[in-house]
Amino acid sequence: MRTSMSSSESLREALNFDEHLILENNWKGRFVGISDYQFFHRQSLENFEQFWAGVAEEIEWFKKFEKVVIPGEHPNVYKWFAGGRLNLSYLCLDRHVKSWRKNKLALIWEGEPVKEDGEPLEIRKFTYFELWRYVNRVAYVMKEKLHLKRGDRVAFYMPMIPELMILMLAAARLGVIFSQVFSGFSAEALASRISDIGARYIFTTDGYYRRGKIVRTKEIADKAVEECPTVEKIILIRRVGSTETPIDEAKHAYLEELLKDVNPNAYVQPEEMESTDILYVLYTSGTTGKPKGIIHDTGGYAVLLNATMKWVFDIRDEDIFWCTADIGWVTGHSYIVFGPLMVGTTVVMYEGAPDFPAPDRWWSIIERYGVTIFYTSPTAVRAFMRLGTEHVTKHDLSTLRLIHSVGEPINPAAWRWLFELIGGGRCPVGSTWWMTETGGILISHAPGLKLVPLKAGTNGPPLPGIEADVVDENGVSVPNGVKGYLIIKRPWPGMPGPPTGMYGDPERYNSVYFSRFGYFFTGDYAIRDNDGYIWVLGRSDEVLKVAGHRIGTYELESTLVSHPYVAEAAVCGVPDDVKGEVPIAYVVLKADVPKTSRVQEELRKWVRERIGAIAEPKSIFVVSRLPKTRSGKIMRRIMRALATGKPIGDITTLEDEAAVEEVKMAYEALLKEIGGKLE
Ligand code: WT7
């Protein structure tokens, strides 16, 4: 399980990051050097509270905080900036409206459809003032017409249109807790999240455009609410102009209609939120159980985002900032909406598929708006790499000055492609490490601090005020160059918030993240090199990362088992050239089901409809029994080895309970069974 590396040199070699890839030389004069950073970082930890208090003072508080960080009511839940009061909608809008930024562009949005000449059909631009006015009117509707008040919950099932950002800011203005559910998720996935949070309303669209087709969100939401008694109404935002099923006045209302008689100058006073109040809940998958509702607070979250926009993105007023994520994931919450708007930048948001109608869509967007900072994912890069360089080189990308990726480890080829082709060899290319639970970036190069030489492929050192470590099974620090588990040793602003970390489930919050090491366990394998840089290698648990998104094996397995044909199911991830990893499934069918190939088709469709296309297994193998240990643990390593056509390898290091003989037998039995069926 452990890989021993003597130094970062051999590590780079092992990961195939060769040559002159420490970019110090390209950036002469910009950096102060690693030892200076280490000193600075040490200082931030030695004066932990003082350090974070200083960072927190960079944002505007209605009432200053009394304490930097104190324990909350439940173990491992902390109250950051307790006693402080603030409002995210105010910080993202009102503050700028009162400044010279009033007429600065806050948002440039591009819809997916194009005209005959291939140019975008719709571009909507909002200045800070315009955005502020729209948010106030929507907040007015929420408050006066829907009677939403502080602490109430709503769900957003919204595609990438400006109204999603506006709804988030309007909810934040009122202290209404929102949960955005990725618009690619199914009715069942939506329903389980709505009922967990007890949402009073769902906000969705009549539909949206994806790869030239219309996705019917209204119909999916209708289906979801059938199981959700807390939902009073579905509020629809018009996007495609029609619905397939009728509007029922008792169940639906159009936001447009609700806004009709609202004074265009409506102003809604932002609530003075406690720093420790919940801003939003975002669901993410784990290895076991249903998706977990991660709570993000108001003050700590705001402070981390404000700081990372400066440290990691080196944000400046003239920047045009484009994060390509979907707001359905945490990346979009933090680095399309709250982070960029807090620091008053101009955000680019794109509705549709990256390669629609042509493979140069993204690069035309960078050119059209003069994007300067580009934040994307290795999966997207790998997909583009297959399409050829000509789609990139026909566009002028010379405005770019900084590039970061996120979601999974970046492979050398993808890094080089970003660095050379997209960044023209001028731009630092980083790989920011964080997770839904961390709220914002914790480990990264920090061009904005001018302190961190860029080392290709690594995530960089922990940011100031962040204490991360790599430990062995017993929680003991491993030497530099040795693979271990990544943990975060101290609380940080932006961590899962009060009251319970995980919505409604403080016990699970503790058992998932803290029971193993006593510190926050990320679930990742990592190596710390001699410079203190962290190289995250991937998940150490059975969480799949499909195109950078987390898919729980449990979620998939229980969905498969819920099909009338399936007796047992086991899912694991196998490498994929583009998506990094994709799920495959082994299923045992019930006795009376004929073993036809249509079973596979049917099950794929079943998963698509119940979780979403993102979770659809690449292959489904029908077997007579699953490879399990005597204690019932599924031997996923065998499943992976078989599906990838690889030998099972060194089984002496195999998961604890599995005896060598047992593993061999299970492998051979399975091999025999699916031998001819490998794709
Ligand atoms: C997991 C968190 C945070 C936004 C997107 C994903 C992996 C994330 C990196 C990176 C290597 C990374 C980790 C982490 N991950 N960024 N730069 N290098 N791995 O959020 O769905 O909560 O997933 O993504 O495995 O634990 P998420």
Side-chain angles (χ1 to χ4, degrees):
M1 196 122 295
R2 278 197 204 171
T3 324
S4 190
M5 304 275 172
S6 54
S7 69
S8 59
E9 291 313 309
S10 55
L11 180 60
R12 264 202 300 281
E13 245 163 60
L15 296 178
N16 203 13
F17 275 103
D18 52 356
E19 61 213 89
H20 48 80
L21 286 179
I22 296 191
L23 292 185
E24 220 163 346
N25 293 337
N26 307 37
W27 289 82
K28 251 196 188 116
R30 275 180 60 83
F31 296 118
V32 190
I34 293 174
S35 56
D36 299 275
Y37 180 77
Q38 287 166 345
F39 177 76
F40 181 67
H41 184 254
R42 235 184 351 262
Q43 293 272 306
S44 73
L45 294 182
E46 275 164 21
N47 310 297
F48 188 70
E49 297 208 356
Q50 206 183 326
F51 171 78
W52 281 115
V55 177
E57 270 153 29
E58 288 176 22
I59 66 171
E60 192 183 323
W61 299 81
F62 295 141
K63 176 174 166 282
K64 218 199 133 180
F65 48 90
E66 285 146 23
K67 291 275 177 353
V68 174
V69 57
I70 52 172
E73 272 80 57
H74 292 280
N76 295 307
V77 176
Y78 289 86
K79 295 181 168 179
W80 276 90
F81 310 115
R85 293 208 189 115
L86 74 169
N87 183 292
L88 252 310
S89 181
Y90 174 89
L91 290 177
C92 290
L93 299 168
D94 303 53
R95 220 166 47 95
H96 304 310
V97 166
K98 287 193 272 182
S99 78
W100 67 267
R101 291 196 187 92
K102 177 175 176 181
N103 297 318
K104 180 180 173 174
L105 278 187
L107 174 64
I108 304 173
W109 174 84
E110 193 173 298
E112 188 190 74
V114 288
K115 297 184 282 198
E116 264 171 30
D117 61 2
E119 291 295 302
L121 184 68
E122 304 147 288
I123 296 171
R124 293 167 72 191
K125 295 181 179 176
F126 296 82
T127 63
Y128 273 94
F129 187 52
E130 288 163 343
L131 198 64
W132 175 80
R133 281 170 64 87
Y134 197 169
V135 166
N136 268 289
R137 296 175 65 226
V138 171
Y140 180 91
V141 166
M142 285 183 173
K143 186 176 176 179
E144 304 298 339
K145 300 198 172 183
L146 305 177
H147 310 291
L148 282 163
K149 52 187 191 313
R150 193 167 163 155
D152 283 352
R153 276 92 54 212
V154 294
F156 300 151
Y157 183 56
M158 290 287 295
M160 288 285 282
I161 59 172
E163 279 73 10
L164 170 52
M165 177 186 271
I166 284 151
L167 287 167
M168 288 164 82
L169 293 166
R173 198 166 188 87
L174 300 172
V176 168
I177 299 165
F178 64 85
S179 189
Q180 156 69 4
V181 180
F182 173 54
S183 59
F185 276 140
S186 65
E188 284 188 24
L190 174 60
S192 84
R193 286 155 176 83
I194 294 170
S195 18
D196 190 70
I197 202 168
R200 288 185 55 196
Y201 294 92
I202 306 178
F203 291 76
T204 188
T205 51
D206 48 3
Y208 67 95
Y209 299 100
R210 186 75 190 179
R211 234 172 230 114
K213 295 206 183 81
I214 292 179
V215 180
R216 297 282 170 186
T217 23
K218 183 246 175 203
E219 280 69 25
I220 302 171
D222 278 348
K223 201 167 156 220
V225 291
E226 284 169 17
E227 301 159 47
C228 302
T230 60
V231 174
E232 294 162 33
K233 238 180 203 171
I234 299 175
I235 310 297
L236 294 168
I237 289 92
R238 228 183 278 277
R239 169 68 189 120
V240 296
S242 67
T243 56
E244 275 188 336
T245 49
I247 300 292
D248 172 348
E249 284 197 0
K251 285 194 205 150
H252 306 105
Y254 273 107
L255 182 65
E256 213 175 296
E257 306 295 322
L258 294 168
L259 280 167
K260 250 186 192 147
D261 59 352
V262 175
N263 185 335
N265 305 316
Y267 170 75
V268 176
Q269 179 96 25
E271 284 283 316
E272 294 206 357
M273 302 305 292
E274 293 295 329
S275 175
T276 52
D277 278 339
I278 303 178
L279 175 66
Y280 67 78
V281 175
L282 183 61
Y283 288 83
T284 185
S285 300
T287 37
T288 55
K290 57 180 188 172
K292 304 169 290 205
I294 301 300
I295 296 176
H296 282 300
D297 70 5
T298 307
Y301 184 68
V303 168
L304 181 66
L305 293 189
N306 190 61
T308 49
M309 284 307 298
K310 294 176 184 175
W311 300 344
V312 175
F313 293 107
D314 183 30
I315 198 78
R316 300 174 200 165
D317 252 312
E318 58 275 25
D319 279 319
I320 306 287
F321 184 90
W322 187 23
C323 164
T324 63
D326 189 291
I327 299 180
W329 314 107
V330 75
T331 313
H333 285 62
S334 297
Y335 296 108
I336 297 179
V337 182
F338 294 112
L341 296 181
M342 266 177 85
V343 296
T345 197
T346 301
V347 175
V348 172
M349 179 172 168
Y350 168 58
E351 175 184 38
D355 55 353
F356 186 89
D360 70 334
R361 185 68 185 263
W362 272 20
W363 321 117
S364 78
I365 290 174
I366 293 183
E367 185 174 43
R368 195 154 33 246
Y369 309 113
V371 171
T372 59
I373 301 178
F374 184 50
Y375 192 28
T376 193
S377 70
T379 288
V381 171
R382 287 190 299 263
F384 279 118
M385 284 169 72
R386 298 182 143 193
L387 303 174
T389 57
E390 67 274 18
H391 307 293
V392 180
T393 51
K394 71 176 181 209
H395 293 284
D396 177 5
L397 308 184
S398 63
T399 50
L400 289 174
R401 68 176 184 88
L402 187 58
I403 300 172
H404 280 298
S405 89
V406 62
E408 57 187 305
I410 187 157
N411 52 305
W415 188 91
R416 223 166 273 130
W417 197 82
L418 272 180
F419 179 65
E420 279 157 18
L421 192 65
I422 305 303
R426 302 178 316 275
C427 311
V429 175
S431 172
T432 64
W433 179 90
W434 59 297
M435 7 183 359
T436 305
E437 292 83 344
T438 68
I441 299 164
L442 296 193
I443 301 176
S444 175
H445 294 95
L449 292 173
K450 300 198 181 349
L451 282 165
V452 188
L454 185 78
K455 214 188 281 185
T458 165
N459 300 104
L463 290 176
I466 302 299
E467 189 178 9
D469 199 11
V470 181
V471 299
D472 65 15
E473 301 75 68
N474 304 314
V476 179
S477 276
V478 296
N480 293 343
V482 173
K483 178 176 167 181
Y485 302 100
L486 179 67
I487 61 168
I488 311 293
K489 293 187 82 167
R490 293 198 211 195
W492 67 95
M495 69 188 297
T500 51
M502 202 184 288
Y503 197 79
D505 206 342
E507 283 78 31
R508 190 159 170 229
Y509 171 67
N510 271 286
S511 72
V512 171
Y513 301 108
F514 295 91
S515 63
R516 184 141 176 209
F517 297 115
Y519 298 110
F520 180 85
F521 177 37
T522 62
D524 284 336
Y525 279 132
I527 294 177
R528 173 190 353 87
D529 74 14
N530 285 335
D531 293 324
Y533 280 47
I534 306 288
W535 301 66
V536 171
L537 305 172
R539 302 288 309 180
S540 68
D541 52 19
E542 281 154 1
V543 167
L544 310 183
K545 291 291 286 185
V546 182
H549 305 305
R550 246 194 277 182
I551 304 287
T553 44
Y554 170 86
E555 220 177 338
L556 253 168
E557 284 165 5
S558 58
T559 301
L560 285 166
V561 173
S562 70
H563 189 280
Y565 287 179
V566 179
E568 273 190 290
V571 168
C572 72
V574 294
D576 179 88
D577 286 348
V578 171
K579 292 180 179 167
E581 193 174 35
V582 290
I584 57 156
Y586 288 74
V587 295
V588 177
L589 298 181
K590 289 182 181 157
D592 49 348
V593 181
K595 287 187 186 177
T596 62
S597 61
R598 306 194 63 184
V599 171
Q600 274 102 331
E601 237 171 77
E602 162 72 16
L603 290 180
R604 269 203 206 109
K605 187 163 156 260
W606 182 261
V607 170
R608 225 174 24 240
E609 285 170 1
R610 271 153 194 81
I611 306 180
I614 187 174
E616 186 180 327
K618 182 179 175 192
S619 320
I620 297 178
F621 301 111
V622 176
V623 293
S624 61
R625 66 189 180 97
L626 297 177
K628 280 194 232 166
T629 62
R630 242 162 300 159
S631 60
K633 191 173 169 188
I634 295 165
M635 292 185 277
R636 292 198 162 77
R637 179 159 161 180
I638 288 182
M639 296 167 46
R640 258 192 300 270
L642 281 170
T644 50
K646 290 208 179 97
I648 185 160
D650 178 11
I651 44 178
T652 51
T653 55
L654 199 80
E655 284 88 296
D656 6 310
E657 302 150 71
V660 177
E661 266 320 297
E662 213 172 289
V663 173
K664 272 194 189 146
M665 274 167 55
Y667 180 81
E668 274 150 23
L670 257 186
L671 186 63
K672 223 194 241 157
E673 223 174 312
I674 69 164
K677 293 183 211 156
L678 287 176
E679 284 171 16

